Amino acid sequence: MLPLAIAVPFAAGLVLLAYGRSLSPWLARAVAVTGFVTPALTALLCWAVFAMRPEVMPLIAHAGLHDAFRQTPDYLFQSEYDAGLGFLGITLQLGLNGLSLPMFVLAGLVGLAAGIYALFTPVERPTAYWGLLLFIISGAMGVFASVNLFYFYFFHEFALIPTFILIGWWGGPGGRTAAIEMTIYLTLGAMLSLLGLLGLYFHSGAHGFDLITLRAWSAPVGAGGDATHKIFALLLFGFGILVSLWPFHSWAPSGYAAAPTPAAMLHAGVLKKFGLYGLLQIAVPLVPGGMADWGHTMAWLALGNVVLIGATTMAQRDLKMMLGYSSVMHMGYIFLGIACVSALGAGGAMILMFAHGLSIAALFLLSDAVYQRTKTYDFGAMGGLCQKTPVLAGFFVAATLAGIGLPGFANFWGEFSIFVALWKYSPWMTGLAATGVVISAVYGLRAVSRIFFGEPSPAFQSLFDAPMADIRPRERWPAIILLGGLMLVGFCPSLISKGINEALPMVYKNNAPGGASAVAALPGATLNEPPSTTVAAPR
């Protein structure tokens, strides 16, 4: 089943890029719709089956569909294919566990929302535009479904290349400069992370690139020493550059400001989580000795994201630049959750990764809706838009409050879990990190106030007096998908926290600071053993 989520958007994108000009408009659109819808439906089906495994798996076995839903102690939906590299011990192994499933669902939902918006946005060469977006979605689904490190890395690079092309060709002012800067930074991050992954493989002595084999051989990797110190440093800074860890963040705000909206939604919402997911699924559990060496450094750098980038975000007057810096700032919370080296911190980081992906994608979508009506991103030149577009205002306020961490949205559970874990790690770091909540409220609510409330500015008055449409269906339905996901998990966090709680003891069983017993229950989940709050002590 998982191959469908990867192969269908890839095939659809290939058809659009190769034959798009010769296809009739309705056929090209039908191909694109198939490519955008299939990953989302597959992800939602996997989510439903994963959540109801005890009830559903006997029915699946009775129906003879066991191969499509194959379950092992480590992964569900596991499958393996020889893609031509079997002689090197590299096979395409796919599967989902409690850590990869939320990211797989995130990629499907954001991909669908971005696709709907792109299908009804007038652009030059639309079939090429849709085809490149479909390549990004195919790569993103492959990243989070991959069990083999080679394909984990390959799919991410496969998704990055069309991102650069979209920004350079269809981006706004400064698009080509932003694309070049992103290419330099992200290539550097990709090379460092590749060296770290190769170092992990060779140092482990394992006979395969898949995570299951590497975990079985992880004891010698995690034992500590100079090699693990260097391996983890390569992974931390390689993944960190890809995620815009401070001070390696300057590529992100300008890149998102220049990117076409669907590309910004996909990269900020999904692809940016690659490095964080790599730390949680690979680096921390397989190289715990290196994590012990670098954890405090990670926490310090993460505070730079929260406090320093947060202050920079407050200084922005351009809506899209503000959202770009806001995305960088919130990565700091997730790094702090990882730095705690506790199951509660790691679980909170996973929930916030999922929630942030949906909320930032919604905000980029809605910011473009604002631009289509005001012809500017300078929110100092707006005002009073709520009088003309009350529904758009309601969606934008909801997405902003989700980003701040209001209860009722998934972001709240992620931030709450991280703060609890961080308090046990370092109370004074928690105090510094908590200033980020105030900072988020200041810049978010100020933007809402200046865009939608008060009187329109003199520069905006002529547009304000003309007829202005409220939110359109092409903007409404993607926003409903994204905000609906945030509220669903916000009111029922066990939909993802239960799977995370099940996966963390197995993934982190060799981790020195608490191991499998360091399982502090996430909101709404039930564990088979008493919760513990074991964390690594700060230095």
Side-chain angles (χ1 to χ4, degrees):
M1 184 165 64
L2 298 183
L4 282 176
I6 303 168
V8 171
F10 173 76
L14 196 61
V15 169
L16 290 171
L17 287 170
Y19 305 105
R21 291 186 175 184
S22 60
L23 295 176
S24 63
W26 72 267
L27 182 57
R29 195 175 294 270
V31 171
V33 167
T34 303
F36 288 126
V37 170
T38 301
L41 292 180
T42 304
L44 292 174
L45 178 60
C46 290
W47 195 7
V49 172
F50 198 96
M52 299 183 291
R53 291 191 308 283
E55 298 83 7
V56 172
M57 292 307 290
L59 299 176
I60 290 173
H62 183 70
L65 299 174
H66 182 267
D67 289 342
F69 297 86
R70 191 153 63 92
Q71 183 176 12
T72 68
D74 299 282
Y75 287 91
L76 186 60
F77 315 112
Q78 194 170 346
S79 57
E80 185 173 357
Y81 308 91
D82 187 351
L85 297 175
F87 66 96
L88 294 175
I90 300 172
T91 57
L92 176 58
Q93 292 173 273
L94 304 176
L96 296 175
N97 65 3
L99 300 185
S100 56
L101 177 68
M103 297 296 98
F104 191 75
V105 174
L106 171 67
L109 292 178
V110 175
L112 177 60
I116 293 172
Y117 193 64
L119 283 169
F120 298 97
T121 301
V123 293
E124 295 181 5
R125 299 190 63 187
T127 54
Y129 184 72
W130 301 338
L132 291 171
L133 289 172
L134 286 165
F135 277 3
I136 296 175
I137 294 170
S138 175
M141 303 303 286
V143 164
F144 300 118
S146 292
V147 179
N148 188 289
L149 290 187
F150 174 86
Y151 285 102
F152 165 76
Y153 183 86
F154 168 82
F155 279 121
H156 177 256
E157 299 309 298
F158 176 78
L160 276 184
I161 294 171
T163 306
F164 300 147
I165 298 172
L166 282 165
I167 295 173
W169 190 267
W170 285 274
R176 294 190 178 182
T177 302
I180 292 171
E181 183 181 11
M182 283 185 71
T183 302
I184 293 170
Y185 266 97
L186 298 186
T187 300
L188 174 60
M191 293 305 297
L192 290 176
S193 58
L194 176 61
L195 290 174
L197 292 172
L198 290 173
L200 172 63
Y201 168 72
F202 287 116
H203 187 62
S204 71
H207 301 297
F209 285 86
D210 63 283
L211 286 171
I212 299 171
T213 302
L214 286 169
R215 286 183 193 129
W217 287 75
S218 63
V221 181
D226 186 58
T228 59
H229 181 86
K230 293 176 180 177
I231 290 169
F232 194 89
L234 288 169
L235 293 173
L236 170 61
F237 290 105
F239 287 145
I241 292 171
L242 297 174
V243 183
S244 64
L245 176 65
W246 183 87
F248 313 106
H249 66 277
S250 61
W251 61 268
S254 58
Y256 296 149
T261 297
M265 292 168 66
L266 282 167
H267 193 279
V270 181
L271 287 184
K272 202 175 186 181
K273 309 304 184 288
F274 168 81
L276 296 164
Y277 174 78
L279 287 171
L280 281 164
Q281 185 85 280
I282 300 167
V284 177
L286 297 183
V287 199
M291 181 63 195
D293 294 337
W294 287 98
H296 209 51
T297 301
M298 184 194 297
W300 272 106
L301 296 178
L303 285 174
N305 280 72
V306 174
V307 179
L308 300 179
I309 303 303
T312 305
T313 308
M314 286 197 297
Q316 303 304 309
R317 295 296 180 269
D318 181 283
L319 177 58
K320 216 169 180 185
M321 285 293 287
M322 185 199 81
L323 293 178
Y325 276 106
S326 167
S327 176
V328 174
M329 173 196 168
H330 280 84
M331 296 302 97
Y333 288 127
I334 301 172
F335 276 110
L336 285 170
I338 298 170
C340 294
V341 198
S342 71
L344 183 60
M350 284 299 310
I351 295 176
L352 189 54
M353 286 164 62
F354 175 85
H356 176 268
L358 295 177
S359 61
I360 196 64
L363 284 167
F364 274 119
L365 166 75
L366 295 169
S367 70
D368 194 58
V370 169
Y371 176 81
Q372 296 302 322
R373 289 154 179 80
T374 62
K375 307 307 178 185
T376 181
Y377 285 112
D378 181 3
F379 49 76
M382 302 182 199
L385 196 60
C386 184
Q387 300 173 45
K388 294 282 190 174
T389 59
V391 179
L392 174 60
F395 277 110
F396 195 95
V397 169
T400 301
L401 293 176
I404 295 171
L406 186 75
F409 295 98
N411 309 61
F412 168 77
W413 296 114
E415 292 186 13
F416 176 77
S417 301
I418 289 170
F419 279 128
V420 172
L422 188 60
W423 178 263
K424 298 176 182 301
Y425 179 78
S426 173
W428 68 266
M429 279 190 175
T430 309
L432 285 175
T435 62
V437 178
V438 178
I439 291 171
S440 297
V442 169
Y443 68 69
L445 296 178
R446 182 191 61 189
V448 167
S449 173
R450 294 190 177 181
I451 295 170
F452 293 103
F453 299 101
E455 294 299 321
S457 68
F460 183 49
Q461 189 66 54
S462 60
L463 286 173
F464 187 83
D465 291 338
M468 186 180 296
D470 203 344
I471 192 167
R472 298 181 177 91
R474 70 182 178 95
E475 300 155 343
R476 184 193 304 267
W477 288 109
I480 288 174
I481 291 169
L482 298 171
L483 292 174
L486 285 168
M487 295 183 69
L488 180 65
V489 176
F491 283 101
C492 190
S494 64
L495 288 172
I496 61 174
S497 65
K498 183 177 180 181
I500 294 171
N501 269 325
E502 291 173 357
L504 283 172
M506 288 188 289
V507 174
Y508 284 70
K509 61 186 175 183
N510 294 315
N511 234 45
S517 65
V519 183
L522 291 170
T526 304
L527 294 167
N528 296 326
E529 51 185 290
S532 166
T533 52
T534 307
V535 295
R539 302 181 201 174

